[in-house]
């Protein structure tokens, strides 16, 4: 089998995923929309004219984080369950094409669908509120979507970028776990993830105290260790934001190649 990337074959694989799963995708989408509408309805104030902004933003976070992890696990399930694995891996396509076809749905299709759907529901909800409660001052009722985001992710802050990289880490880690574990992959991946976080936190704690020259929590700063800490934090941010997701994807791809027949 030719292992070079062929765009036409990649397109066929992307179409195959849609054809085989469109009914499930459709039903799941309907349930997701209904849950979001229910969250908006239950999140109204006593008068019904205001929806709590935490409900508005929280419903998007649940969709991006919780459902995103489940979706990533589902898309790559064929590589972890033996009956499906054989049929999918025997397809006449390269390892990279099969891997990219799954990533296309996880990193491109899913975020677009979630964000656009949530935005439309948000817009529709407040158009209904304007119509149903015309006497309510709109400046109290309607918080523009852009302003809602600025409340949580201000221009001066790095929370938005941190949030995106946080999601990328979880999605890529889920993909890696799905390919490595045949059964109960989500549970095993979660356990492995918590263990990894604990180990990283311990290493960071020891490294931090090594830099300041004190392991007894007597923190003192001077010009020398302040410079080292700045470099240490910068390197840590780069590793977490960029290197770690790429690392998860690399080992996931290598595991896929190992499963090929």
């Amino acid at each position: 089998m030719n292992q070079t990337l062929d765009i036409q074959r990649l397109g066929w694989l992307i179409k195959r995923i849609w054809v085989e799963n469109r009914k499930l995708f459709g039903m799941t989408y309907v349930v997701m929309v209904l849950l979001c509408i229910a969250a908006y309805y239950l999140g109204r104030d006593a008068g019904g004219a205001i929806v709590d902004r935490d409900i508005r933003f929280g419903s998007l976070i649940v969709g991006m984080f919780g459902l995103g992890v489940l979706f990533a696990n589902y898309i790559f399930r064929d590589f972890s369950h033996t009956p499906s694995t054989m049929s999918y891996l025997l397809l006449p396509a390269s390892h990279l094409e099969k891997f990219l076809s799954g990533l296309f749905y996880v990193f491109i299709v899913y975020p677009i669908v979630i964000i656009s759907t949530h935005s439309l529901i948000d817009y529709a909800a407040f158009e209904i509120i304007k119509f149903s409660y015309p006497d309510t001052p709109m400046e109290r009722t309607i918080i523009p979507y852009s302003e809602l985001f600025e409340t949580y992710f201000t221009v001066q802050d790095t929370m938005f970028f941190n949030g995106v990289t946080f999601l990328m880490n979880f999605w890529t880690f889920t993909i890696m776990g799905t390919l490595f574990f045949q059964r109960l992959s989500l549970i095993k991946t979660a356990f492995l993830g918590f263990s990894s976080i604990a180990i990283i936190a311990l290493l960071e704690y020891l490294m931090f105290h090594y830099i300041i020259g004190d392991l007894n929590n007597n923190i003192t700063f001077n010009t020398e260790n302040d410079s080292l800490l700045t470099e240490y934090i910068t390197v840590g941010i780069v590793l977490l934001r960029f290197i770690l997701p790429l690392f998860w994807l690399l080992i996931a791809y290598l595991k896929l190649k190992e499963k090929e027949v």
Side-chain angles (χ1 to χ4, degrees), residues 169-221:
N169 267 285
F170 268 86
W171 290 345
T172 54
F173 191 78
T174 300
I175 292 170
M176 183 276 297
T178 302
L179 292 173
F180 266 79
F181 304 118
Q182 290 189 353
R183 297 180 179 178
L184 302 175
S185 60
L186 275 178
I187 297 176
K188 293 178 180 178
T189 302
F191 177 78
L192 181 62
F194 287 125
S195 301
S196 301
I197 292 172
I199 293 173
I200 291 173
L202 176 60
L203 292 176
E204 285 189 339
Y205 174 83
L206 295 175
M207 182 62 71
F208 174 82
H209 284 276
Y210 174 79
I211 290 174
I212 64 174
D214 185 8
L215 296 178
N216 297 316
N217 290 323
N218 298 318
I219 299 177
T220 56
F221 294 97

Side-chain angles (χ1 to χ4, degrees), residues 27-41 117 121:
M27 291 186 293
T28 304
Y29 181 76
V30 171
V31 172
M32 180 191 71
V33 170
L34 293 176
L35 289 175
C36 189
I37 294 174
Y40 271 57
Y41 181 80
T117 300
I121 292 174

Side-chain angles (χ1 to χ4, degrees), residues 2-213:
N2 187 356
Q3 292 299 316
T4 58
L5 178 63
D6 186 293
I7 300 300
Q8 187 176 27
R9 285 202 306 259
L10 177 61
W12 289 339
L13 287 174
I14 291 173
K15 182 179 179 181
R16 177 185 185 271
I17 293 176
W18 166 251
V19 170
E20 292 190 351
N21 298 280
R22 62 182 183 275
K23 291 183 179 179
L24 180 61
F25 287 169
M27 291 186 293
T28 304
Y29 181 76
V30 171
V31 172
M32 180 191 71
V33 170
L34 293 176
L35 289 175
C36 189
I37 294 174
Y40 271 57
Y41 181 80
L42 296 174
R44 299 174 304 159
D45 69 348
I50 301 175
V51 177
D52 186 271
R53 67 175 63 194
D54 291 337
I55 294 294
R56 295 173 65 192
F57 193 76
S59 57
L60 177 62
I61 293 300
V62 170
M64 292 293 287
F65 175 72
L67 295 180
V69 167
L70 294 175
F71 184 74
N73 179 267
Y74 177 79
I75 287 295
F76 284 88
R77 76 201 184 287
D78 284 338
F79 301 118
S80 57
H81 296 84
T82 304
S84 300
T85 300
M86 297 301 293
S87 62
Y88 194 82
L89 294 181
L90 284 172
L91 289 174
S94 67
H95 315 309
L96 183 60
E97 290 161 358
K98 295 171 185 177
F99 194 59
L100 290 179
S101 65
L103 296 184
F104 174 79
Y105 280 93
V106 174
F107 291 115
I108 298 178
V109 174
Y110 184 80
I112 291 175
V113 170
I114 287 291
I115 293 174
S116 59
T117 300
H118 189 270
S119 301
L120 289 174
I121 292 174
D122 190 83
Y123 174 79
F126 284 88
E127 285 298 314
I128 293 172
I129 287 176
K130 286 168 60 178
F131 178 79
S132 303
Y133 302 91
D135 297 330
T136 301
M138 288 300 100
E139 64 270 13
R140 292 186 58 248
T141 305
I142 299 178
I143 304 171
Y145 214 57
S146 58
E147 183 180 327
L148 179 69
F149 271 82
E150 288 178 5
T151 301
Y152 292 91
F153 303 128
T154 59
V155 176
Q156 296 78 18
D157 207 338
T158 58
M159 288 183 63
F160 180 77
F161 194 56
N162 289 341
V164 171
T165 53
F166 180 78
L167 286 171
M168 293 289 285
N169 267 285
F170 268 86
W171 290 345
T172 54
F173 191 78
T174 300
I175 292 170
M176 183 276 297
T178 302
L179 292 173
F180 266 79
F181 304 118
Q182 290 189 353
R183 297 180 179 178
L184 302 175
S185 60
L186 275 178
I187 297 176
K188 293 178 180 178
T189 302
F191 177 78
L192 181 62
F194 287 125
S195 301
S196 301
I197 292 172
I199 293 173
I200 291 173
L202 176 60
L203 292 176
E204 285 189 339
Y205 174 83
L206 295 175
M207 182 62 71
F208 174 82
H209 284 276
Y210 174 79
I211 290 174
I212 64 174

